Amino acid sequence: MIHTLAISHYRSLLNLVIPLGQLNLITGPNGCGKSNLYRALRLLAETAQGGVVNALAHEGGLNSTFWAGPENITHQMKTGAHTVEGLVRQKAQRLRLGFASDEFSYAISLGLPKPSSSAFSNDPEIKRESIFFGDNYRPASSLIERENAIVKNREDRQWGMLSTQMPLYESIFSQISDPVKTPEVVTLREFIRGWRFYDHFRTDTDAPARQSHVGTRTPILSHDGHDLAAALRTIVEIGDDHALKAAIEDAFPGAKLEVFFDNTGRFSLGFFQYGLLRPLSAKELSDGTLRYLLWIAALLTPRPPPLMVLNEPETSLHPDLLPALGRLIVHASKQTQVWVVSHAPRLIEALRQSPACHEIVLEKELGQTQMVGQTLLDTPLWRWPDQAK
Ligand SMILES: Nc1ncnc2c1ncn2[C@@H]1O[C@H](COP(=O)(O)OP(=O)(O)O)[C@@H](O)[C@H]1O
Ligand SMILES: [Mg+2]
């Protein structure tokens, strides 16, 4: 489980260090930074897939994703006694992302390269990466250290040299993979690669989830949901069939789901609703019903990930379905750490029913995203490796 997430200088997240629980609910008014927080988590996940530099470029480049406010916000700026203005920058700008899990912690720091004539002189560079133990980074708790092109690992009490020529646009996760010499890199990479993000399933008439597909056993629903029928059938055969039936009964009393398959291996859905004489196919289902079935398939996965991230799962669901969706998410959170971004009151209400629900309410002050009511006491003692002395 991840118990601390830390972000610095990413969009409206100037410095945010938040403690996480088993079921995390992120709420707050429009524009407070919920999606920025979601995106920051995705960027961290991209690191382990070898794509963080590319993902940042697609967000408009590092310059546009950097915190656009002043380096320091003074007390006078907050009270309005001084206007908000940037002073001469004292330190190089760095976008930093990190987390601490029960096993290892990881932090990455990105910055712009020195000016050059290269066509890629706007590509972000990885300046620093570290794998260590705990929140409070100390050199003594560090296992892997990367500074620019140099990567070292701890060997008993000394540092061994792993590489002196690490490309600045590649993470240690894509370049270092020796399970004997650097098991922590391999373990952490597999942990991060397991994180699953679901964000706005398509349900329009041409949506992949409405088509029939050749199916194989599908313990993990794809991001576009094209394998919905096969994923539901997989739950029936090797997953929690009882929970599947309960989830359907909870949302659509009296309804029944059937997965049809022919001898060419194509899978399709049949949804029997109370009052109808024949089952409806995926093509005929309402957006809301189809989306709810997609959430069932995602959340009742027979192979739960270490972390499941749901961005505004309420989108285009009828408010009457939200309490049932909330109960489904709570059920899933018993097997996997869950992160839900939402601003739907009925979903929020349902999630709060769970004792495991850890609510994070965000607000924006002087352009900076903060956690409402956070005090030093409930802020983890996070320290960035490149700021530790
Ligand atoms: N580079 C940046 N620096 C500072 N703030 C930014 C930057 N980019 C976007 N923002 C702020 O982030 C806010 C959007 O946050 P977002 O996460 O989309 O909100 P929501 O909570 O509605 O999902 C905008 O109001 C904008 O002011
Ligand atoms: Mg948003």
Side-chain angles (χ1 to χ4, degrees), residues 11-12 29-36 64-68 364 367:
R11 297 186 184 274
S12 60
N30 271 331
C32 68
K34 299 184 295 296
S35 299
N36 290 342
S64 123
T65 48
F66 269 139
W67 157 248
K364 217 162 60 172

Side-chain angles (χ1 to χ4, degrees), residues 73-82 84 365-366 368 370:
I73 297 182
T74 61
H75 178 67
Q76 286 89 340
M77 288 180 193
K78 283 192 183 165
T79 56
H82 288 178
V84 176
E365 192 192 1
L366 280 185
Q368 179 191 353
Q370 295 176 335

Side-chain angles (χ1 to χ4, degrees), residues 200-211:
H200 301 302
F201 288 116
R202 267 179 62 192
T203 51
D204 54 282
T205 39
D206 297 325
R210 291 197 186 274
Q211 323 302 322

Side-chain angles (χ1 to χ4, degrees), residues 146-151 161-170 175:
R146 179 239 179 109
E147 261 188 88
N148 299 309
I150 295 175
V151 191
M161 187 65 77
L162 286 174
S163 170
T164 55
Q165 289 171 2
M166 186 81 157
L168 297 183
Y169 49 87
E170 298 269 24
Q175 293 287 308

Side-chain angles (χ1 to χ4, degrees), residues 310-351:
L310 317 176
N311 195 29
E312 301 184 358
E314 63 264 25
T315 308
S316 91
L317 280 188
H318 191 281
D320 287 348
L321 285 175
L322 295 180
L325 178 65
R327 289 187 281 272
L328 192 58
I329 294 174
V330 169
H331 179 85
S333 75
K334 295 185 177 128
Q335 307 289 331
T336 175
Q337 188 175 18
V338 180
W339 167 288
V340 190
V341 180
S342 174
H343 48 63
R346 292 186 71 182
L347 180 60
I348 292 172
E349 208 36 60
L351 294 173

Side-chain angles (χ1 to χ4, degrees), residues 249-269:
E249 181 62 28
D250 193 10
F252 312 102
K256 203 170 128 259
L257 179 79
E258 196 124 357
V259 179
F260 302 114
F261 42 95
D262 61 21
N263 49 16
T264 66
R266 296 191 87 80
F267 283 69
S268 56
L269 285 184

